[in-house]
Amino acid sequence: MWPRIGGLRALALGTPGELRTRLNTLVLSGVKTATAGLVQEYDEDGEELEYVGERQVLVDDNDAFLAVIEVTGVEVVRFADVPWDFARAEGEGDRSIEEWREGHGAYWARQGTPVTDDTAVVCLRFRVVSTEGSVGT
């Protein structure tokens, strides 16, 4: 299971270090309003998919609070069918859907989970609702 903070699931983007710091900065600046995950990861971790309206805690490398986000959309699609508008909402600077697929495919392969066109991807959209210092605010 994923860590819980104040009863909310933690959202830990990317891998710890430079990547997570960059992704969190994009979220906090309002550039990144979406993220992708693999259904396989949810299954392996015993987690249910997010649902619209769910709130989660965005965390840093030490699982410390950065913000509360609210899920605004959840869709499961084949890797080959991830739409460009979603990829652009990830805010990571990809200039085309092909570039997004290449980068994300390489990332997941480095994590030990190579993807194919048919791999199920969770397309999660969200908005920041609070950056105050605790979950209860």
Side-chain angles (χ1 to χ4, degrees):
M1 283 183 42
W2 299 341
R4 301 310 199 255
I5 298 174
L8 302 179
R9 286 196 269 188
L11 177 61
L13 298 172
T15 51
E18 184 178 325
L19 177 59
R20 182 166 299 156
T21 298
R22 183 172 66 84
L23 297 177
N24 284 342
T25 299
L26 291 170
V27 169
L28 295 173
S29 67
V31 172
K32 182 175 182 61
T33 59
T35 194
L38 300 178
V39 169
Q40 177 181 336
E41 294 170 329
Y42 287 77
D43 292 344
E44 289 170 356
D45 293 342
E47 287 290 341
E48 298 291 322
L49 294 182
E50 291 85 354
Y51 57 88
V52 172
E54 179 180 2
R55 291 188 173 197
Q56 295 182 333
V57 177
L58 181 69
V59 297
D60 66 11
D61 289 344
N62 301 309
D63 289 335
F65 174 95
L66 294 175
V68 174
I69 62 102
E70 182 177 73
V71 175
T72 60
V74 181
E75 185 178 13
V76 177
V77 299
R78 294 171 59 242
F79 181 68
D81 295 334
V82 171
W84 172 234
D85 71 305
F86 174 82
R88 192 175 37 237
E90 280 206 283
E92 297 174 29
D94 295 309
R95 294 169 298 212
S96 68
I97 191 63
E98 293 79 17
E99 188 175 330
W100 180 91
R101 286 188 184 116
E102 182 179 315
H104 281 67
Y107 169 80
W108 284 317
R110 286 191 308 273
Q111 301 311 306
T113 310
V115 296
T116 68
D117 283 352
D118 292 326
T119 299
V121 175
V122 180
C123 296
L124 183 70
R125 293 180 184 266
F126 57 84
R127 67 184 183 95
V128 174
V129 294
S130 176
T131 56
E132 297 301 312
S134 70
V135 174
T137 59

